[in-house]
């Protein structure tokens, strides 16, 4: 990717239009590195988690379920990751929005899981995917998500 | 299976790790005994119920619908049983969580029915399945679930 | 769990019936080892694949999508893995059954994807999960599945 | 039921209109008796089955899953029972229709599982429900269904 970018910096104008129509994306290697970090943080804290990494289309690149996690956390982690990509914001934003008067309307938003525990992933200001975590308390899920993205 | 068990009785320590990758499960005989108890309790109270018993994967082992129950209770009982297995907790925990500020967020959790009336079933601390009851008030559904598990 | 196991090592026969209600399961470590082998084989062959490992309840333990794979392969791999667990047989069995007279009836079987590319996983004769592969031709998907299970 | 019918035969005209708007139905007692017979036949043959009994609306009255049956048979048995009620015919009729030229069109019929193994249940010429069986070969599933209805 880097080499390709250096190349186009020195080559030329007629490539510029094509270049502006490029967007960054998350590779499997990125997703596994992020997932490893999430798993390491979870183990260090003694938590069992489901860890999902999605691409910018809301499709899974990686999922792993640690032993003993409740199976319901699989769909919750997938749902959180989808929410973050679909709405380009942490699920916690929706969770907080539920706390004000009339906030229950958020429950009618398609594809929105309003439980903390995940983050969208941006590169150069463009969304490239998300991480969704579920298995412990939603605050703990959120801590793991933050720790995981530190390696990206 | 028997041979394997006899083997571990005489062999030993170095097999223990493999052995720890065993987990208990619920049989049809267990499920029918639990369902019979639920039906007996329901009849004694004059309530008509749908009674569902699931395994640890969230799959039905037994369902029975007493005469005259509203058909909507079939999916409610299935949903309660699924919730309990998927999240290893009684649906009442979710019902109670809905009552606090921002509790409506629970309505966005995939596969969670937040209505009392069922219990997860554990054996040696490991989840083996669940019972889901629907047909009367949620508190009455809960009473039948407790009575049913007394025979397990 | 350990205490219970030590107990049965010293106690005996009358416990055997309860003990027979134990079944083996697949750990995340197993699933990652299998997935690594599938990814290594795919790379060696120059194929890009989605690799899914499920538990005995048809729930995902691990998913990874190699760069550049068509996104449709995600649900295909999940569907193959589900089919294998749900019906305790390779998807190829259904694919072959479609080739005989009246074989189109297989298309009406709920939860059955009739495309080669995955295998159920057994331990001591009991199903513990499955692997589902999608991304190349179905025969190539099948080759990767076989190679992956060689490490289990 | 018989007593009730004799009664109305001797009572009177003004009841006739109401009477023609009555329809028979399957009770839980009926469903359990049928299910017991199916389970007994399955055990006698050494087959493990999922046994579903539905009402005339295509809703489950009873389900039971014998130990060791593949979990995929749950949805297959439910699908067969639904097909029989929805179309008032054995699933075998659809299976046979798949064998003639162009028969694959049956795979596009909503709610039709075209695999033998179940029967609609009639009373006085009116459909009251169905039985769906899955777990062995489709012919064996069909044998159990026939044996089960012998007790109704």
């Amino acid at each position: 990717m880097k080499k390709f970018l250096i190349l186009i910096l020195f080559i030329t104008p007629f490539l510029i239009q094509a270049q502006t129509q490029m967007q960054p994306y998350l590779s499997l290697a990125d997703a596994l590195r992020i997932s490893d970090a999430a798993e390491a943080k979870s183990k260090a804290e003694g938590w069992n988690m489901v860890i999902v990494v999605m691409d910018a289309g809301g499709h899974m690149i990686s999922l792993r379920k640690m032993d003993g996690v409740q199976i319901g956390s699989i769909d919750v982690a997938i749902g959180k990751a989808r929410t973050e990509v679909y709405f380009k914001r942490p699920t916690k934003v929706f969770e907080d929005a539920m706390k004000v008067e009339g906030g229950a309307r958020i429950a009618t938003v398609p594809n929105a899981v309003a439980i903390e525990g995940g983050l969208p992933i941006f590169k150069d200001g463009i969304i490239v995917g998300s991480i969704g975590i579920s298995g412990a308390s939603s605050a703990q899920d959120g801590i793991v998500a933050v720790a995981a993205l530190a390696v990206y």
Side-chain angles (χ1 to χ4, degrees), chain A:
Chain A
M1 194 66 191
K2 246 181 213 168
K3 277 183 193 167
F4 179 68
L5 287 170
I6 288 163
L7 207 69
I8 63 131
L9 284 173
F10 288 92
I11 300 203
T12 52
F14 66 85
L15 271 176
I16 283 179
Q17 186 177 11
Q19 174 59 11
T20 55
Q21 279 195 219
M22 300 283 281
Q23 55 192 8
Y25 71 95
L26 217 54
S27 68
L28 174 58
D30 293 330
L32 293 182
R33 200 169 61 248
I34 292 167
S35 300
D36 286 343
E39 192 180 341
K41 176 67 177 174
S42 301
K43 275 183 182 160
E45 298 286 352
W47 302 328
N48 291 324
M49 298 292 196
V50 176
I51 301 153
V52 170
V53 179
M54 277 190 179
D55 68 17
H59 301 289
M60 282 188 283
I61 305 174
S62 168
L63 174 148
R64 67 180 68 171
K65 176 184 172 292
M66 295 171 71
D67 298 346
V69 193
Q70 55 189 6
I71 53 182
S73 284
I74 299 171
D75 283 340
V76 175
I78 292 172
K80 288 177 180 178
R82 183 182 296 118
T83 304
E84 292 142 15
V85 168
Y86 276 37
F87 299 97
K88 297 187 182 178
R89 70 196 78 178
T91 48
K92 192 175 189 308
V93 172
F94 284 124
E95 181 171 332
D96 290 342
M98 298 283 272
K99 289 177 186 161
V100 300
E101 200 195 12
R105 75 187 181 286
I106 302 292
T108 70
V109 176
N111 301 306
V113 171
I115 312 280
E116 182 181 357
L119 295 165
I121 306 176
F122 293 95
K123 189 167 186 168
D124 307 326
I126 295 181
I127 190 149
V128 290
S130 66
I131 181 166
I133 305 286
S134 178
S137 77
S138 58
Q140 290 166 334
D141 295 347
I143 288 167
V144 170
V146 170
L149 289 199
V151 302
Y152 178 66

